[in-house]
Amino acid sequence: MSSQQPRYVKMHDNDNVVIIANNGGLPAGTVLDNGIELREAIPQGHKVALTDLAAGDVVRRYNVVIGYAKTDLPKGSWLNEHRLDMPAPPELDNLPIATEKTTLDPLEGYTFEGFRNPDGSVGTRNILAISTSVQCVSGVVAHAVERIRAELLPKYPNVDNVISLEHIYGCGVAIQAPDAVIPIRTLRNIARNPNFGGRTLVVSLGCEKLQADVFFPDRFIPIKNGGFQRQDENIALVTLQDEENIGFEGMIQSIMRAAEEHLIVLNKRVRTTCPISDLVIGVQCGGSDAFSGVSANPVVGYATDLFVRAGASVMFSEVTEVRDGIAQLTARAASPEVAQQLIDQMRWYDQYLGRGSADRSANTSPGNKRGGLSNIVEKAMGSIVKSGSTPIQGVVPPGERCTTRGLNFSATPASDFVCGTLQLAAGMTMHVFTTGRGTPYSLKEAPVVKVATRSDLARRWHDLMDINAGRVVDGDATIEEMGWELFRYMIDVASGRKQTCAESLKIYNSLALFNPAPIT
C-alpha cells in the first residue's frame, strides 16, 4: 500500500464517488482530506463512496448514473462490480438530435512530411503490402516476405517495409450471405490504404471462394481459361495453383517477381510537405482502467480537437464503448442525417449481440475491472472522451472508407484488433492507442502511438509507451499541455522523424476481421 499523502480524483461536483489515485491503493483506516475514512483497503483506481448509500441508491460518476448500490453501503466503502447493479441500456428513440454546435477556431500553420499518392491520398509510411485472398496461402506468403526483405528490400532504400495482410477469411465461409460484405470490403479497402502507395499485390490459391473478381470487382475480369485479366497496372495477382508454379520455390519466385515490380515504383516515392488535412487518424483504447477517462483519453481528446481544427480526419470507434453515451453523440452530430446514422449503427449492433445471446455487459474484461471499471457504463463515459468536443461529421460503417474530413465515428466492435483492422480499412494512416492495464498492441500497416494512463505503467513499460499521460494524475502536467505534446509528437511520427516504440521493437499484431456472416 502507498505511504504517500492520500490522493483521489473526482470527475464532477455531482458525483458521489471518487477513485483512489495512489500507486498500490490505500489501506483501511486512511482518512482522506475530505474527512472520509476508508472502511476497507481500496486498490488504485477503485471507487470510494462519499455518502451513505442504501440498497438501490444511484451511484454517479462523470455526473452519469453508472449503477445502483446492491446493498447498504456506508460512506468510505469500496464500490466495485460486485456491489453495483448496471443500468438498463438507453433507448434509441427520442434522443437529442444535432443540438450541440461547438465551434473551435481553425488551427493553421501546421504541416507534416508525407507520401503523396496518385489518387491524392497521403501516407505516413511507404510499405509494400501483399494481400492474401485466403488463409491457405499465408504460410507461403510469410516465407516470401522474409525472402523479399532479405534479398530485395536492400536495393530499394526508400521503401520502409514489406508486409503480408494475412487473415483467416476467403474460403469455408458463407460468402454470399448478406453480412459477408463486411469482411470482403474490409480486405479490399485495407489493400487500398494510403500507406501502400496505391499499389496492390494479391496472392491467391486459385480454388477459394474469394476469387479475384469478388475481391476486386472492377480490377479483375474472368477469362476463359479460368484465370483473370487485370484492368489496372497498379494491381498484380499471383495464383499459387497456376501451372507455371513448379514446386514451392516456383511459388516464391512468382511472388518475388511481382513484388519487385511494385518495389521499383514504391522506391520512387519521396516525402513532401503536406497539410495536416491529409492525415487520417484513428483513436482507440484497450486494456482500460479507471484512469483512462481521467488522463490518457482526455489528452487524446484534446489532441483530437487540435487535429480537427487543422482539417484532419479523426475516427473514434467501438460501438459497445459508446452505446451508453448515445445521447451525447446524437447531440453532437453535425446534422440530423449523421445522428440517424449513429442510431442505425447502434441498433444494428444491438441486434447482432442479441443473435449471440449477449449484450453490452460482455464488453468489460477482468483487467478492466481490476483497474477499477465496474461496468460498461463507467467504461463508456471514459472512452467517449477520446473524441474531443467537435461535431461528428460522418459515420463510417464497418469495412467502408472514411470520406469526410473532421471527426468521424467508425462503427467497429470494441476488440482492439478488430477495431484497428476496420480503422485501417477506413483509410487510417496513423493510430493512437491508450492503455491503463498495459498492452503491447501495435500494427505493421500504420504507426501506433501508445499513451499510458498511469506513471507506474509508463515507468515499468518504459520501452513500450510513447507518451505518459499519468503526469496529469500526478499533477505534473495539464490535459492541455499533454494534448499539445501528443499533437506535436504525432506530427513527428507521421513525418518519419520519429519511430514509435513498437516500430523500433518491431512488435506487431495480426489483422482480425469482423465477420458476422456464418462460417460453413
Side-chain angles (χ1 to χ4, degrees):
M1 288 291 180
S2 173
S3 60
Q4 302 172 357
Q5 183 72 21
R7 294 182 296 115
Y8 58 88
V9 177
K10 187 177 184 180
M11 296 304 296
H12 193 277
D13 288 343
N14 292 339
D15 292 353
N16 57 2
V17 295
V18 296
I19 64 169
I20 297 300
N22 297 74
N23 285 336
L26 292 172
T30 300
V31 179
L32 306 181
D33 64 6
N34 57 13
I36 291 178
E37 181 178 346
L38 304 187
R39 299 179 63 87
E40 52 200 316
I42 311 291
Q44 184 187 34
H46 284 249
K47 292 176 289 298
V48 180
L50 296 179
T51 61
D52 294 331
L53 296 171
D57 279 356
V58 162
V59 176
R60 190 179 294 273
R61 187 177 178 223
Y62 298 102
N63 196 28
V64 169
V65 177
I66 64 168
Y68 304 94
K70 283 189 175 182
T71 60
D72 294 345
L73 294 167
K75 64 182 178 181
S77 296
W78 177 14
L79 275 80
N80 53 46
E81 71 272 18
H82 304 297
R83 295 178 175 180
L84 287 179
D85 286 322
M86 193 167 70
E91 297 293 333
L92 294 177
D93 299 314
N94 302 315
L95 292 166
I97 302 295
T99 55
E100 293 185 16
K101 299 294 182 183
T102 300
T103 302
L104 300 177
D105 293 334
L107 186 63
E108 300 175 343
Y110 289 91
T111 60
F112 75 105
E113 302 301 307
F115 295 98
R116 177 77 62 186
N117 296 317
D119 65 358
S121 66
V122 176
T124 63
R125 296 294 183 266
N126 186 21
I127 298 170
L128 170 60
I130 302 178
S131 297
T132 59
S133 64
V134 66
Q135 197 272 344
C136 308
V137 304
S138 295
V140 174
V141 172
H143 186 92
V145 165
E146 292 303 315
R147 291 274 299 272
I148 294 165
R149 285 180 184 151
E151 300 173 27
L152 298 180
L153 198 56
K155 300 192 303 184
Y156 304 99
N158 292 335
V159 181
D160 295 319
N161 202 0
V162 178
I163 65 173
S164 61
L165 304 176
E166 74 280 358
H167 55 87
I168 60 170
Y169 196 71
C171 209
V173 293
I175 205 162
Q176 294 181 328
D179 289 338
V181 67
I182 292 175
I184 294 171
R185 72 188 179 202
T186 299
L187 291 170
R188 182 184 306 135
N189 284 328
I190 287 175
R192 298 171 56 207
N193 188 281
N195 285 349
F196 307 152
R199 310 290 297 186
T200 304
L201 171 54
V202 181
V203 177
S204 75
L205 184 59
C207 58
E208 64 269 31
K209 291 183 179 179
L210 186 58
Q211 291 285 298
D213 60 333
V214 178
F215 202 162
F216 293 99
D218 300 325
R219 301 171 82 178
F220 289 108
I221 294 178
I223 55 180
K224 289 182 179 180
N225 67 358
F228 296 92
Q229 180 181 12
R230 68 178 180 178
Q231 302 297 298
D232 185 343
E233 64 180 7
N234 294 316
I235 193 167
L237 174 67
V238 175
T239 302
L240 299 189
Q241 290 177 347
D242 281 356
E243 292 184 359
E244 60 264 29
N245 291 325
I246 308 300
F248 178 70
E249 184 62 22
M251 298 176 187
I252 298 300
Q253 288 299 322
S254 290
I255 296 171
M256 293 181 70
R257 283 193 297 272
E260 188 154 27
E261 291 180 10
H262 287 271
L263 288 170
I264 291 168
V265 176
L266 291 174
N267 196 55
K268 296 176 183 177
R269 298 176 86 205
V270 294
R271 289 187 182 271
T272 58
T273 301
C274 303
I276 294 295
S277 57
D278 285 326
L279 278 176
V280 183
I281 298 166
V283 299
Q284 188 190 355
C285 51
S288 301
D289 66 0
F291 292 106
S292 294
V294 176
S295 59
N297 288 351
V299 166
V300 171
Y302 193 93
T304 291
D305 282 348
L306 294 176
F307 278 109
V308 170
R309 289 170 57 193
S313 301
V314 182
M315 296 178 288
F316 72 109
S317 297
E318 303 170 285
V319 171
T320 52
E321 293 193 13
V322 303
R323 175 66 174 82
D324 281 271
I326 182 60
Q328 299 177 36
L329 303 188
T330 55
R332 287 174 58 195
S335 68
E337 292 75 20
V338 171
Q340 187 58 53
Q341 291 168 17
L342 285 163
I343 293 167
D344 290 345
Q345 290 298 328
M346 300 297 134
R347 182 169 284 119
W348 184 92
Y349 212 84
D350 284 353
Q351 294 167 352
Y352 165 72
L353 289 175
R355 292 199 299 270
S357 300
D359 63 24
R360 75 202 201 288
S361 67
N363 173 292
T364 319
S365 71
N368 295 153
K369 294 172 183 177
R370 284 194 292 271
L373 294 172
S374 295
N375 56 38
I376 187 56
V377 184
E378 183 179 10
K379 187 179 181 184
M381 295 306 108
S383 176
I384 289 174
V385 183
K386 300 192 300 297
S387 66
S389 61
T390 61
I392 302 168
Q393 301 290 341
V395 176
V396 185
E400 293 281 18
R401 296 273 287 185
C402 176
T403 58
T404 304
R405 285 211 171 113
L407 182 65
N408 287 262
F409 177 69
S410 176
T412 77
S415 163
D416 301 344
F417 320 109
V418 179
C419 176
T421 299
L422 287 169
Q423 287 189 345
L424 285 169
M428 172 186 75
T429 55
M430 190 173 190
H431 202 38
V432 184
F433 189 94
T434 71
T435 184
R437 302 300 294 169
T439 168
Y441 164 93
S442 189
L443 298 167
K444 56 182 178 289
E445 296 81 7
V448 179
V449 175
K450 303 288 283 299
V451 183
T453 72
R454 299 177 296 118
S455 293
D456 179 59
L457 174 64
R459 282 190 294 268
R460 287 189 294 109
W461 284 19
H462 58 91
D463 53 356
L464 288 167
M465 296 292 120
D466 299 289
I467 300 288
N468 175 23
R471 292 160 53 202
V472 172
V473 180
D474 299 339
D476 296 331
T478 66
I479 289 171
E480 179 180 357
E481 290 168 344
M482 293 291 315
W484 275 105
E485 179 181 328
L486 176 60
F487 175 75
R488 294 186 177 101
Y489 180 80
M490 290 170 63
I491 291 175
D492 281 343
V493 170
S495 301
R497 292 189 289 267
K498 291 183 178 178
Q499 280 194 326
T500 65
C501 290
E503 284 184 295
S504 297
L505 293 170
K506 294 181 172 55
I507 55 170
Y508 307 114
N509 289 93
S510 298
L511 299 177
L513 289 182
F514 178 42
N515 176 27
I519 295 178
T520 58

